[in-house]
Structure formats: C-alpha cells, structure tokens
Amino acid sequence: MMPTAKHERELVSVIIPTFNRAPLIGRAISSVLAQSYPDIEVLVVDDGSTDDTPKVIQAFVDPRLRYLRRNRNLGASASRNEGVAAASGAFVAYLDSDDTWVPHKVERQLSAILCHADPSKVVTYSQIAIRHNNHDRILPLREKRADEPIADYVLSDGCAIFPSTVLLSTSLAQSTPFNQKYRIKEDWDHFIRLENAGAEWLFIKSPLTIYQGDRSIARLSGTSTPEENLTWLKDHQADLSPATTQTFLLGPVLQAIISTGENKARGVRIVLSAMSAKAISGKRAFSCLIDIAFRRFAKRLLRRQ
C-alpha cells in the first residue's frame, strides 16, 4: 500500500555509510534506487575509501544520488551523522553498504509510520534476513513489548535491531545523533538514547533487509576488545537490568576476551560469578573456561615458534 495522497510527496533520505566497499557498494545503491517508493534521495557518505569505491559510486547516473566524500576515516557513526545533517527528506533510513533492501522496504515502512498519531516520535524497524550459504535466518523473532526497555530487548535471545532496518523522522535523527565515542555497539547506544528521548517503536514482521552473513566480509564496526566492551557496559549500566548485564558480560565481553586472549582473569571471574548466580549451567561454565584456557595455551604456543 502506497502512502495516502496527503503524504505521497514525503521525501525519504537514505544514508549509506561506506569505507572500502567497492565490490559491494553498487549492490546496496541499486537496491535503494529500485525501491517501489520513488520519492527518495540517496546520500552515500564515503568515509575516506582508498579502493575503487568512488569510481563505482560515480558510475551511477541518477539525480536522486548524492555522493559525500571526506579524506579522513572517522567511522560509521560520523558518516551516518554527516548524512543526516545533509538530508533533505522528512524521514531518514540507514543502509550499511554491504546490506541490501527488498524493493518495497521504504514503501512498507513509510506507510506504517505515517499511520501513527505522531510519526515524528516513531522508530520503525523490520525483520532482517541474515543470509549465509543461501540459508536465511530471520531476526528478530518477536517485537519489543511495550513495557520492555530497548536495551533488554536487543540483548534478548533471538532479538536484534539492525541499523539497515530502521526508518525514522529526520527531526528525531538529528536531535539524537550517533555517539562518535563508540567504535563498537554504537547502534545499541543510539537505540537506548532514542528511547530515553521518548521514541516509540513500531515493528514490521517481514524481512525487508538482507544481511550478507559471510564471515569473510568485514563489518563496519569491526572486532572489539574486552576493554571496549567493558567501557560500553559501564557507560550504560543504568539502562540495563541485572539479567541483561549478565547477558552482556557472558556475550560481548566474554567473547571478546576469548577471541583476543586479553583480560583472561576477568573472563574467569565472569564465568564463575554467572555459575554461582545460576545464570548458566555448570556444563556451559566448564565450556567457557576451556575456551579461555585454550586461547591462553594457543598464544603461548605461537610465542614459542
């Protein structure tokens, strides 16, 4: 269903941050230009690419496409903020340069948000198809409950909001920009601050975005260290319930410890504390401790070679 005549000329600004995505950026742009809703502008914010990204973007001949390029890499948050600042539309939508949209994505979300009493306060998000080896995993499995904090929701099993699925008013996006302090989980921080600013959440149970889940593709946020995750947790402690804090410690923090081999003593304490609180089973705790120890052992072997 297309928006009513009253709103049919609403312009939607699509923000695509990109950095060294020459093989992928064209696919993302094409998926936006092919939208069933025509009143869009596409702002591609090139975060200092050193590959053929500029050449790929400049090959598109469409008056709806605007190319913003800077010489210094400042990260995805800065790129999204720059795109929002330059947006001409009443609404903005984000698309990571290695994701794509289905053709009716903007039409479906705009129709939904315009039916709300106050579209300026609504953030609409949809399901996403995480594609790996031609198999799709659909997330989130459910919508956020009205009484459920957004921080608890995005850290719940089977629940996630990806920036590429979000559409919101430009005024709300401009008043609540991404925090450029964070190199990781900047989207979670953004969602928490949107909710603290009074945003309401509107869920569309349909996979309107495709996330290319090939592990060979590096994501914009990159990998994270234990300290980065612990800093994020400290900054957002007031927004997380005790159960969600435990989930964060056992998830992003512990996985960063295992993958980097840093702060292993903290990792052991996290596991033992979770087991003591009966947040995890003894079997899972043992498995986590083995992962921590194995990483330490592997690093010792590498140092001896």
Side-chain angles (χ1 to χ4, degrees), residues 202-217:
L202 178 61
F203 175 57
I204 296 179
K205 192 177 182 180
S206 180
L208 303 180
T209 299
I210 300 172
Y211 174 108
Q212 301 297 335
D214 189 333
R215 293 184 179 182
S216 66
I217 298 175

Side-chain angles (χ1 to χ4, degrees), residues 77 80-82 84-85 92 94 120-123 150 166 168-180 186-201 236:
S77 291
R80 293 188 184 110
N81 290 343
E82 182 173 337
V84 170
V92 298
Y94 304 112
S120 68
K121 294 183 178 180
V122 177
V123 179
I150 194 65
V166 167
L168 70 165
S169 68
T170 303
S171 59
L172 183 56
Q174 289 177 341
S175 64
T176 316
F178 282 83
N179 191 334
Q180 296 175 204
E186 75 285 347
D187 49 348
W188 291 1
D189 169 81
H190 184 57
F191 300 150
I192 289 171
R193 288 187 298 105
L194 282 170
E195 183 163 87
N196 290 342
E200 300 178 36
W201 302 90
H236 297 86

Side-chain angles (χ1 to χ4, degrees), residues 53-262:
T53 291
K55 185 183 300 183
V56 174
I57 297 170
Q58 291 165 352
F60 283 88
V61 181
D62 193 305
R64 296 175 296 174
L65 179 63
R66 295 166 59 190
Y67 179 37
L68 307 177
R69 175 173 169 80
R70 56 171 170 252
N71 296 322
R72 188 160 63 101
N73 181 271
L74 296 176
S77 291
S79 295
R80 293 188 184 110
N81 290 343
E82 182 173 337
V84 170
S88 302
F91 297 90
V92 298
Y94 304 112
L95 176 62
D96 286 351
S97 56
D98 40 7
D99 294 335
T100 57
W101 285 347
V102 301
H104 58 280
K105 195 265 189 188
V106 171
E107 177 186 339
R108 182 85 179 270
Q109 288 192 289
L110 187 61
S111 294
I113 200 170
L114 290 176
C115 289
H116 196 274
D118 188 354
S120 68
K121 294 183 178 180
V122 177
V123 179
T124 176
Y125 66 103
S126 73
Q127 289 181 311
I128 189 169
I130 300 176
R131 183 161 296 169
H132 182 62
N133 292 335
N134 295 319
H135 174 73
D136 287 353
R137 181 189 179 199
I138 308 300
L139 290 175
L141 301 178
R142 63 172 178 84
E143 66 180 318
K144 187 184 86 67
R145 297 188 299 271
D147 61 346
E148 182 178 24
I150 194 65
D152 288 0
Y153 176 72
V154 297
L155 279 163
S156 297
D157 187 33
C159 296
I161 300 178
F162 290 71
S164 293
T165 72
V166 167
L167 183 146
L168 70 165
S169 68
T170 303
S171 59
L172 183 56
Q174 289 177 341
S175 64
T176 316
F178 282 83
N179 191 334
Q180 296 175 204
K181 167 185 176 180
Y182 299 110
R183 191 182 67 89
I184 61 162
K185 298 171 182 61
E186 75 285 347
D187 49 348
W188 291 1
D189 169 81
H190 184 57
F191 300 150
I192 289 171
R193 288 187 298 105
L194 282 170
E195 183 163 87
N196 290 342
E200 300 178 36
W201 302 90
L202 178 61
F203 175 57
I204 296 179
K205 192 177 182 180
S206 180
L208 303 180
T209 299
I210 300 172
Y211 174 108
Q212 301 297 335
D214 189 333
R215 293 184 179 182
S216 66
I217 298 175
R219 305 303 293 183
L220 286 174
S221 296
T223 57
S224 59
T225 67
E227 290 307 318
E228 284 176 319
N229 282 282
L230 288 168
T231 296
W232 193 99
L233 178 60
K234 180 180 179 182
D235 290 348
H236 297 86
Q237 194 72 66
D239 298 298
L240 306 180
S241 67
T244 302
T245 297
Q246 191 73 257
T247 299
F248 191 91
L249 286 168
L250 288 168
V253 175
L254 187 60
Q255 289 306 309
I257 288 171
I258 292 172
S259 64
T260 63
E262 299 175 17

Side-chain angles (χ1 to χ4, degrees), residues 10-32:
E10 294 285 17
L11 181 67
V12 176
S13 300
V14 181
I15 315 300
I16 307 180
T18 190
F19 174 67
N20 286 347
R21 289 288 187 272
L24 303 173
I25 184 63
R27 182 182 62 189
I29 294 173
S30 294
S31 77
V32 178

